[in-house]
Amino acid sequence: MTNHAAGLTADLSLDQIERLDDEIITLLARRRAMAQALPAPARARAGDPAFAETVRGITDRYRRELGGAGELVARAVMVLCDPSREN
């Protein structure tokens, strides 16, 4: 493979990843909107052991299946900090 062909393949892969990132961000934003439409929990989530356990379980599953939870956090931050997001 020539350097030019390798560069095209890398660009294609990066474009595919960027499109997937956009899809993931859109889905996370949609999920966030759906979650906000639900009634608030009876008590603060930080003090809710079931919520904390659920978060731990999801993070552990993400780490097992995809190799790290940092990316999950990064994507969530991207959704929360998206300037086009409605407040």
Side-chain angles (χ1 to χ4, degrees), residues 6-86:
L8 289 176
T9 302
D11 287 346
L12 179 60
S13 295
L14 290 174
D15 287 345
Q16 290 172 324
I17 289 171
E18 188 173 317
R19 281 194 303 276
L20 283 173
D21 284 346
D22 290 343
E23 289 178 35
I24 291 167
I25 291 166
T26 299
L27 287 171
L28 286 171
R30 200 167 111 209
R31 186 203 179 283
R32 180 179 179 274
M34 290 172 67
Q36 287 179 329
L38 296 172
R43 58 186 173 154
R45 286 183 172 165
D48 184 349
F51 178 76
E53 184 59 34
T54 299
V55 170
R56 234 184 329 275
I58 290 169
T59 303
D60 288 345
R61 178 179 166 208
Y62 197 95
R63 187 178 294 118
R64 276 193 317 274
E65 294 180 12
L66 299 175
E71 186 176 355
L72 175 65
V73 172
R75 292 187 191 291
V77 169
M78 289 170 68
V79 168
L80 293 172
C81 296
D82 184 347
S84 66
R85 182 181 68 103
E86 292 181 19

